[in-house]
Amino acid sequence: MILHSPALHFVSWRPFNWDACDCTVEFRRSTSSTLGSYSHGLKFGLERVLAGQSKSGTFLCTDQRQAQNPPTGKRRVHRQNVDLPPIQSKKKKKPFPIPLKKITEAARADKKLAQMGVEKPLIPPKNGLIVPKLVPVAYDVLDAWKIVIKGVSQLLHVIPVHACSECTEVFVGQASHYIQDCQGATSAARRNFHSWVKGSINDVLLPIESYHLFDPFGPRVTHETRFDYDRIPALVELCIQAGVDIPGYPSRRRTVPIRMLGKKVIDRGGPVEPPEQSCSPHAAASILEFDTYRTHERFSSPLESEVPGTAQKTIEAYERVKIGLKKLMKKYTVKACGYCSEVHVGPWGHNAKLCGEFKHQWRDGKHGWQDAIIDEVLPPNYVWHVEDPKGPPLRTSLKRFYGKAPAVVELCFQAGARIPTKYKPMMRIDIVVPDKEETSLAA
């Protein structure tokens, strides 16, 4: 059944194969939204066009675009190829995760309230109080983080990791790749080939540390007092401030909120002296569970039958860590330097003059603090994906056909784990890598 539409466009068309058919075809295209919703609204009024007869006919072809009012619900599109986030230039500051316009508007509103003598309205945890519903999330993040550290340490006994001694390139697999993309100091003498050495867990889980603060709303860390504070993983420090109690690393739990007038804290609830640091073996062992220090010695190699199960537990725990971090970072403030990899957990960044990146002389070595994103607290550290670990090594000529994945995901994949669907497009699993001789023929 063909619906009649008042708006039809007529255009003459002649086939391209003039020897096969000598005819004139009239093309009618509808622009109505009713016909546009049909995907098979094509009627041939021409019979035996290619049979060598000279006949005239009409084509009625409806527009295959969707209707103006599409049905509700999102359509899931399966992608084969997704590019990774672009690498930011080290000669520029990182983009702000929050638009600069919103930052300036919020600053002007705070300044206006301060000039009027009105205190800044604060809600937990911005006022120093913890959020009770996020305490279980923080404990779950630390439990999953321990599983990730243990799993990666055990898998490193089975799947080797290679690291370049001249640049930051990391490769997961039995044999290193031959892709010429080294940016090290002596790369020109090696024709941009990497100088591979044996990697460690710190090449898979990049260590991002932060100062541990007993009172995040207390005095800032200065350049002279920076050695008075311990450095622990930023992920662990965030969970401590969210309500996790770890022996040896106390944190102030306020019952009375702080008061602020603009950017100035007018009431911190009185000074509280931090308890003395405990040097007991129990306190040292508690923080060692969340650190990657000497994990190769602490965890032995799993049995061959246990490798796929260990890899699956590791990738699931890794996803739990990322989901929990997103929930915590929506409430608790985490700052990151816009020029280097320094991260600070707390409402304000520290004042230690340790930044040595682009134009640090203009800032006297101070960091350019801005809101952090999850990839700065838990860097994914993308590595080349190897579809067949026992196949030929990766080469520069086929570079554009290879995919990438976070180092943890690639390590678990080669150990036999099932990869989450969201990583498959960036790993380009559905793309067939051509042979070396077929490179020039591939699109």
Side-chain angles (χ1 to χ4, degrees), residues 397-425:
S397 57
L398 302 175
K399 179 179 178 180
R400 62 193 179 103
F401 298 101
Y402 301 137
K404 283 193 173 185
V408 178
V409 177
E410 180 65 19
L411 180 67
C412 296
F413 170 79
Q414 296 190 21
R418 299 185 304 272
I419 301 302
T421 308
K422 66 179 181 178
Y423 294 112
K424 292 182 180 180

Side-chain angles (χ1 to χ4, degrees), residues 2-3 20 22 39 41 68 70-71 102 116 122 133 138 174 190 193 252 262 324 330 343 361 373 395-396 411 427:
I2 299 179
L3 302 178
D22 185 12
S39 59
Q68 295 180 357
K102 292 185 177 181
M116 297 169 58
L122 298 174
K133 66 178 181 180
Q174 299 293 338
R190 292 177 278 107
F193 283 103
R252 182 176 179 178
K330 286 182 179 179
V343 171
Q361 301 91 342
I373 59 176
R395 298 187 178 277
T396 308
L411 180 67
M427 297 170 71

Side-chain angles (χ1 to χ4, degrees), residues 230-433:
D230 293 333
R231 298 274 292 182
I232 62 175
L235 181 148
V236 179
E237 174 63 17
L238 176 60
C239 294
I240 291 176
Q241 294 187 18
V244 176
D245 294 325
I246 298 179
Y249 292 89
S251 180
R252 182 176 179 178
R253 307 302 182 192
R254 282 185 167 84
T255 57
V256 179
I258 66 171
R259 298 165 55 196
M260 293 184 63
L261 186 64
K263 295 183 178 180
K264 184 179 180 181
V265 180
I266 59 178
D267 185 11
R268 288 189 171 92
V272 176
E273 292 294 332
E276 295 182 359
Q277 292 289 340
S278 176
C279 299
S280 62
H282 177 67
S286 61
I287 194 62
L288 193 62
E289 295 178 348
F290 311 110
D291 202 353
T292 57
Y293 177 69
R294 303 184 72 172
T295 55
H296 195 76
E297 302 176 2
R298 289 191 283 132
F299 302 104
S300 59
S301 175
L303 299 177
E304 185 177 356
S305 58
E306 298 176 352
V307 172
T310 302
Q312 188 63 35
K313 291 180 181 178
T314 304
I315 191 65
E316 292 175 356
Y318 181 72
E319 291 301 307
R320 283 169 51 195
V321 171
K322 293 186 64 177
I323 294 174
L325 274 181
K326 289 181 180 179
K327 295 180 180 179
L328 294 177
M329 293 179 65
K330 286 182 179 179
K331 294 291 185 179
Y332 290 88
T333 305
V334 181
K335 297 294 183 179
C337 180
Y339 301 93
C340 67
S341 60
E342 181 71 8
V343 171
H344 183 80
V345 182
W348 311 286
H350 60 75
N351 289 334
K353 304 176 183 179
L354 300 175
C355 186
E357 294 298 330
F358 179 63
K359 293 185 178 180
H360 62 92
Q361 301 91 342
W362 292 16
R363 294 174 275 112
D364 194 21
K366 294 183 179 180
H367 297 283
W369 297 113
Q370 61 187 39
D371 290 332
I373 59 176
I374 186 173
D375 287 348
E376 293 172 320
V377 180
L378 186 66
N381 192 19
Y382 293 103
V383 298
W384 290 106
H385 167 61
V386 181
E387 185 66 26
D388 185 8
K390 298 182 180 180
L394 308 184
R395 298 187 178 277
T396 308
S397 57
L398 302 175
K399 179 179 178 180
R400 62 193 179 103
F401 298 101
Y402 301 137
K404 283 193 173 185
V408 178
V409 177
E410 180 65 19
L411 180 67
C412 296
F413 170 79
Q414 296 190 21
R418 299 185 304 272
I419 301 302
T421 308
K422 66 179 181 178
Y423 294 112
K424 292 182 180 180
M426 67 175 65
M427 297 170 71
R428 303 183 182 180
I429 292 180
D430 296 335
I431 296 179
V432 178
V433 179

Side-chain angles (χ1 to χ4, degrees), residues 28-79:
R28 299 185 180 183
R29 179 171 179 243
S30 170
T31 58
S32 64
S33 60
T34 305
L35 291 177
S37 61
Y38 287 86
S39 59
H40 300 286
L42 179 64
K43 179 176 178 61
F44 293 92
L46 177 66
E47 299 178 356
R48 298 190 302 274
V49 175
L50 300 179
Q53 303 179 12
S54 177
K55 288 187 177 182
S56 299
T58 60
F59 283 88
L60 176 58
C61 181
T62 63
D63 193 355
Q64 296 185 10
R65 293 174 295 182
Q66 294 188 3
Q68 295 180 357
N69 298 323
T72 58
K74 294 182 179 180
R75 177 182 295 179
R76 300 185 64 180
V77 180
H78 177 68
R79 293 186 177 184

